[in-house]
Amino acid sequence: MPTVRNICDQIQNAFTYLDDAKLTIFTNGISRNNARVTWHGPQDEDFLDNSQHPNIEQYITWLKSNNYLSLLFDGSLIQVTYDLRNGEVVGHRLNYFPCPYEIDLILFKRNKPPADVVDDCRNAGNMPILRSPVRFDFDLDTARPGHPASHMTMNSVDCRIACVAPLHVLRFLDFVFGHFYPEFHTAHGQFFATANSRHIGQACLVDQDRRSIHLSWDVHATATGGTLGR
């Protein structure tokens, strides 16, 4: 059965590896209570707001306020929140927000504050890169036609691509690095190799989701939540 503690441990272990591998610039601590696991620091309710797709100003606001779990080596943000109730994961929000500018990574290595590096790009008139945030949401309580319980959102709040099940944090990182940083995914293949055995809950696709294009992977639909605690 998933617990706040073992979800917290899984997140901690994953990001400790990324930190040690120098794939991050900074990772906040993890905050937890009886119902939620998230990052330690200011909690911006915009992160949990479905009404607007985040933009560059939102990225900069989150960057300056440390409103994220981890800042990747290229200035991209990772935000992770899991909600639990009665020993089950009932919600999550896993967000990858790519840096909207092409950054000189040497500036990060010189310990210049990341927000200043991004501000310098913006103030110099650098053209932003049109890269959409990619977010995986899971919420059984709000599932309805057109709004799958588990789904991926990109480009627009109205774009909800159904997913077969809630997403384990390592599967999320495997997706991010496999699709957006393939060279690092290959270099750290041993770390990502176990992602396909990580599960946090049962399959939740309904018939309408199956008839549409959706994201699917092997899911061990067990009441114990699979291998999360390993």
Side-chain angles (χ1 to χ4, degrees):
M1 176 180 293
T3 66
V4 166
R5 180 174 179 177
N6 60 28
I7 289 179
C8 184
D9 288 346
Q10 287 288 322
I11 296 171
Q12 184 67 65
N13 291 341
F15 282 90
T16 294
Y17 180 91
L18 297 182
D19 292 344
D20 291 345
K22 308 301 182 185
L23 295 175
T24 65
I25 296 171
F26 176 75
T27 297
N28 278 302
I30 299 173
S31 174
R32 72 185 192 192
N33 57 35
N34 291 333
R36 172 167 288 182
V37 180
T38 187
W39 64 88
H40 181 72
Q43 294 296 303
D44 187 342
E45 289 302 316
D46 287 340
F47 171 61
L48 300 173
D49 181 10
N50 283 319
S51 64
Q52 295 185 14
H53 192 65
N55 53 31
I56 292 176
E57 291 303 320
Q58 182 69 80
Y59 164 87
I60 291 173
T61 296
W62 282 339
L63 178 62
K64 289 184 174 180
S65 61
N66 277 356
N67 214 314
Y68 53 81
L69 175 59
S70 191
L71 177 66
L72 298 186
F73 68 94
D74 65 344
S76 298
L77 303 180
I78 296 286
Q79 296 169 311
V80 171
T81 292
Y82 281 93
D83 292 317
L84 291 90
R85 185 170 61 228
N86 299 326
E88 293 186 6
V89 173
V90 295
H92 68 52
R93 179 151 295 184
L94 313 173
N95 189 35
Y96 165 69
F97 200 136
C99 182
Y101 295 99
E102 195 70 50
I103 298 293
D104 182 353
L105 301 184
I106 293 177
L107 296 177
F108 285 147
K109 293 178 180 178
R110 291 175 178 170
N111 295 321
K112 185 170 184 177
D116 290 350
V117 174
V118 174
D119 269 341
D120 287 347
C121 286
R122 183 171 58 163
N123 295 335
N126 292 11
M127 293 297 293
I129 303 170
L130 296 180
R131 298 189 291 194
S132 175
V134 178
R135 195 180 71 219
F136 288 88
D137 289 329
F138 174 61
D139 189 345
L140 287 173
D141 295 335
T142 62
R144 60 186 184 275
H147 195 139
S150 181
H151 60 270
M152 181 183 75
T153 296
M154 61 181 184
N155 196 55
S156 165
V157 294
D158 296 317
C159 174
R160 299 185 186 96
I161 302 171
C163 296
V164 66
L167 201 64
H168 187 283
V169 67
L170 186 55
R171 276 191 179 269
F172 168 61
L173 293 173
D174 179 59
F175 178 92
V176 169
F177 278 86
H179 288 84
F180 305 119
Y181 309 102
E183 68 279 16
F184 292 111
H185 188 271
T186 298
H188 297 274
Q190 187 173 357
F191 168 71
F192 291 111
T194 61
N196 61 4
S197 66
R198 303 292 180 169
H199 313 280
I200 60 168
Q202 301 183 23
C204 59
L205 285 175
V206 298
D207 288 343
Q208 180 178 348
D209 299 334
R210 293 188 184 93
R211 289 192 293 267
S212 300
I213 294 174
H214 59 273
L215 300 181
S216 185
W217 56 88
D218 180 34
V219 175
H220 296 309
T222 64
T224 59
T227 60
L228 177 66
R230 293 184 183 177

